[in-house]
Structure formats: C-alpha cells, structure tokens
Amino acid sequence: MVACFQLCKLTESFAYWTKCLECCIRLLHSRNLYCRFGEADLCYQEAQYYAQKLSCLRDSINISSLYCEFCSLFFVRSQYDEAYRWSVTALKALSSFLSPKVIVDVLRQASKACVVKREFRRAEMLVTEAVHIAKEAFGMKHPKYSDALLDYSFYLLNVDQIRQSVHVYQAALDVRQSVFGGNNIHVAVAHEDLAYALYVHEYSSGNFNDAREHAEKAIQIMTKILPADHLLMASSKRVKALILEEIAIDSHNKETEARLLQEALDLHLVALALAKKAFGEENVQTAKHYGNLGRLYQSMHRYNVSAPLNTSN
C-alpha cells in the first residue's frame, strides 16, 4: 500500500488524488490498529491535504470513512475530545449510498467516542444500530459483526451491565476464533477484552480463573505475533496484572501471595514503560498505569512508594 501511495503521488490529477486519498484511508486504518502513531500522524496530514484538493468532489469520495479513521487515531491515543469531534463529522458525512461496512464502522467508532464522553444514550443508539446493520448485511459469522459486538460490549461494560457485557464479549470471541483461528491479533484482542470483563464481573466472587485464562491466552498469542515492546502488549499485561493482584490478595498462602504480587508488579512495570514510550507522561493511559501500580504497591504494603504514584494522577 505504501508503494501504491508513492506511485499515485507522482501524478497530479483528480483521479490520482482520489487514489491517494484511498491509500491514506487504508494506511491510517492499519497504522491505527498497529499503534504506529508516528506514521499515522504523517498519514493524517497527507489525508487532509488530498481531502482538501478533492473538496469539490466530496459527494464522490469516501470522506466519512476518512473521518472515521481520524476518530480512531485520536481515540487510541486517548485524545477523546478530538476523537469525539471527528466522530460527529463522520456521522454528518454518512449517506445511504455508502457501503454497509463504512456505515457500521462509523457508527461503532462514534459510539465509543460517545462512551468516553459519557453520552451513553447516544452511544447505545449508535452501537445497537451498528450491530443491527452488521447482522443484516454480513451475517452472524462475519468479522464485521464481531467488531460491532465488541463495541457493544464496551458500551455495556461502561454502563455497568457487566453480565450482559461478558456474554456479548464471548460471542464476539467465538466469531473471531471461527474466522481467524487461534493465532491472530484480532482473536488476542477479543481474549483480552473478555478477560477484563470477567475480572470486573467476578470481582465480588473472587473466582478469577476464567479471567486469568483469557488474559494469558491474549499474551500468549501476542507474544507469537508482535515484538516484545509493542504497545498492544501493555494492555494485556495490565489486565493480567490486575487479575493476579486480586488472586494474591485472596490467597491464604503467604508465599503464593508474594509470588503473584511480584509477577503483577513486573507486568505493571513493563506495561507502564510501554505506555510512557508511546504516549509520554501526560496521557490518560499512562495515568491509568500509574494508578494501577500505586494500588498494587498498597497491596504489597509499600505505602511510601504508592503515595506519590496515586497523588501524581
């Protein structure tokens, strides 16, 4: 795709500008998913350049999909105000002539932006429509349907419908496993999402076996596919660390407790380092890692270390 983009840039014409914009959309999508933020930023600037050149042809270009990718870029970087702004722009650019895939992606991405802005009623309306369209257009065994289910689960988790969220996450994982098999990054992400939902769901019962199994499966798959310092590893390690901490606290064996807490600490420290490398200090995700680390130090009775971490957020 990069080679195609470079070739298209060599010719100054409306036809090739359209191709350049299509390349930008595809490149942004892959770079957003793979957390290649530096390259995504460059693509973001170039996409805006070609969109401006083609502004007189706006009705014939896939501008809604472009704005959706802009929203996705800012969302994964936790810049939620910008993500929300682009989601609104993408929604305004929707039309019935667009493909179901584009419509579903815009609706579900906008829903996630609404969730983090606490606009839950609007988020529910958008994501339920995305699930409905995906089901009708692609069927219940298609990856696009699983994408919509994952975002519906995200909404459910954030409005404290935890049990239902777990069921929907499991359904999404089942679809992805049937389509992609075992060793696939989309499957790993679904395992991680389900692990966190199970962790929240079982918080009162103390039974974290299933949550731990899914977290470990996510890390196992990612380890086979991704470099050890990839940002996607940070989230999975964080989830496993949270689970191990709770198992440790409930353990009646001091040696087991100490071992699990140390493993959780090692995971949190790696996750924090990856987040700081990707986002810097002044970011919601980095702050979240610091907060989790501070709470872990409290569980380890290392209060002199936990206090500065908790007050810094």
Side-chain angles (χ1 to χ4, degrees):
M1 185 55 62
V2 174
C4 178
F5 183 40
Q6 295 302 323
L7 283 173
C8 291
K9 288 168 68 175
L10 297 176
T11 304
E12 288 288 320
S13 73
F14 279 103
Y16 281 93
W17 293 341
T18 301
K19 289 294 182 183
C20 284
L21 189 62
E22 290 176 2
C23 288
C24 285
I25 293 172
R26 293 175 182 269
L27 287 170
L28 258 179
H29 182 73
S30 62
R31 289 167 177 174
N32 289 344
L33 288 176
Y34 205 64
C35 304
R36 302 286 289 268
F37 299 136
E39 294 173 0
D41 275 333
L42 178 61
C43 201
Y44 170 72
Q45 298 297 330
E46 289 182 312
Q48 289 185 307
Y49 169 75
Y50 286 107
Q52 179 61 36
K53 292 175 81 72
L54 292 164
S55 58
C56 61
L57 302 175
R58 183 149 299 193
D59 290 340
S60 62
I61 62 176
N62 190 4
I63 201 69
S64 184
S65 185
L66 176 66
Y67 295 154
C68 181
E69 294 301 336
F70 288 174
C71 174
S72 176
L73 171 62
F74 287 104
F75 185 89
V76 294
R77 295 196 309 195
S78 303
Q79 295 174 271
Y80 297 134
D81 289 339
E82 280 295 294
Y84 182 82
R85 182 173 71 85
W86 281 117
S87 75
V88 172
T89 308
L91 286 170
K92 289 179 178 179
L94 277 179
S95 75
S96 59
F97 300 105
L98 293 170
S99 70
K101 176 187 178 300
V102 172
I103 295 173
V104 168
D105 284 342
V106 170
L107 290 174
R108 65 188 187 85
Q109 188 62 50
S111 173
K112 289 196 296 183
C114 287
V115 167
V116 295
K117 297 295 288 184
R118 316 300 288 178
E119 295 187 7
F120 294 124
R121 296 184 67 178
R122 183 174 298 178
E124 180 184 21
M125 177 187 66
L126 292 167
V127 77
T128 52
E129 183 65 13
V131 171
H132 172 73
I133 294 174
K135 182 179 178 181
E136 292 296 315
F138 303 105
M140 298 175 65
K141 296 183 179 180
H142 194 278
K144 190 52 58 183
Y145 181 63
S146 75
D147 291 346
L149 288 181
L150 283 177
D151 293 327
Y152 182 43
S153 304
F154 177 72
Y155 158 75
L156 292 171
L157 191 65
N158 278 272
V159 294
D160 295 326
Q161 297 186 39
I162 312 301
R163 183 184 297 274
Q164 188 178 355
S165 175
V166 167
H167 291 320
V168 179
Y169 271 130
Q170 182 66 64
L173 173 60
D174 291 342
V175 174
R176 288 193 169 186
Q177 285 181 315
S178 69
V179 174
F180 300 117
N183 294 320
N184 180 277
I185 195 65
H186 298 293
V187 175
V189 169
H191 274 296
E192 179 197 321
D193 288 342
L194 178 56
Y196 184 75
L198 285 166
Y199 159 76
V200 177
H201 183 249
E202 300 296 346
Y203 198 84
S204 58
S205 72
N207 181 10
F208 297 102
N209 292 335
D210 288 343
R212 182 178 184 178
E213 180 181 342
H214 285 289
E216 291 177 342
K217 188 64 177 177
I219 293 173
Q220 177 187 346
I221 295 171
M222 289 185 182
T223 301
K224 292 180 180 179
I225 299 172
L226 301 173
D229 62 345
H230 197 280
L231 180 62
L232 287 176
M233 298 289 291
S235 182
S236 293
K237 289 178 182 292
R238 169 183 167 268
V239 171
K240 183 181 177 182
L242 293 172
I243 295 166
L244 291 181
E245 180 181 355
E246 294 306 318
I247 295 173
I249 292 172
D250 292 340
S251 174
H252 299 292
N253 184 298
K254 292 298 181 182
E255 290 184 3
T256 300
E257 178 184 359
R259 175 177 56 81
L260 291 174
L261 288 176
Q262 183 59 50
E263 184 179 353
L265 176 59
D266 294 340
L267 290 167
H268 271 316
L269 289 173
V270 171
L272 174 61
L274 292 174
K276 288 172 65 176
K277 180 181 177 182
F279 302 119
E281 289 280 355
E282 302 296 326
N283 185 272
V284 172
Q285 294 302 317
T286 305
K288 185 185 298 182
H289 287 291
Y290 272 122
N292 292 150
L293 189 58
R295 197 190 73 161
L296 176 62
Y297 279 127
Q298 288 180 332
S299 297
M300 300 174 79
H301 306 294
R302 295 171 63 177
Y303 303 110
N304 60 322
V305 182
S306 69
L309 290 173
N310 286 321
T311 57
S312 66
N313 298 297

